[in-house]
């Protein structure tokens, strides 16, 4: 098999693996950290700031978003809308 084809196959595997991993992470963060009472959740304004300018938000907010499914879903939606508007 030519070297070019081996490289293409390897790149396809790596790309597939990356997509699979990202899908798993998104699903996991969306479901595995329920917080029905929204305890400790930042305000909508803070989540918007995180989506628009993550460097301006304290690391504790990022940590919270990755450990709170409702906030993760909200932030993901904000990011999707921001991306769509670009």
């Amino acid at each position: 098999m030519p070297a070019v084809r081996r490289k293409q196959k390897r790149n396809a595997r790596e790309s597939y693996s990356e997509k699979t991993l990202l899908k798993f992470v998104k699903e996991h963060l969306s479901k595995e950290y329920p917080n029905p009472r929204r305890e400790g959740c930042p305000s909508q304004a803070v989540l918007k700031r995180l989506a628009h300018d993550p460097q301006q938000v304290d690391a504790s907010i990022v940590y919270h978003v990755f450990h709170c499914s409702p906030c993760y879903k909200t932030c993901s939606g904000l990011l999707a809308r921001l991306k769509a508007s670009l």
Side-chain angles (χ1 to χ4, degrees):
M1 180 183 301
V4 172
R5 290 191 70 199
R6 281 194 302 261
K7 185 176 180 180
Q8 288 172 340
K9 279 189 168 188
R10 186 177 68 235
N11 287 342
R13 275 195 313 267
E14 289 170 1
S15 177
Y16 176 76
S17 297
E18 184 178 329
K19 288 177 185 177
T20 301
L21 177 62
L22 287 173
K23 181 179 178 184
F24 170 78
V25 168
K26 288 178 183 180
E27 288 178 13
H28 179 76
L29 293 173
S30 293
K31 298 175 184 173
E32 298 301 321
Y33 297 100
N35 186 0
R37 293 187 190 146
R38 302 295 301 253
E39 293 176 7
C41 294
S43 68
Q44 184 79 5
V46 171
L47 293 176
K48 283 182 182 179
R49 193 172 339 129
L50 175 61
H52 287 275
D53 193 3
Q55 301 296 326
Q56 298 302 314
V57 176
D58 188 85
S60 65
I61 302 299
V62 176
Y63 180 85
H64 176 85
V65 168
F66 284 120
H67 291 85
C68 175
S69 292
C71 286
Y72 175 78
K73 289 177 190 176
T74 299
C75 199
S76 292
L78 292 166
L79 286 168
R81 281 180 279 209
L82 181 62
K83 185 177 177 181
S85 71
L86 298 177

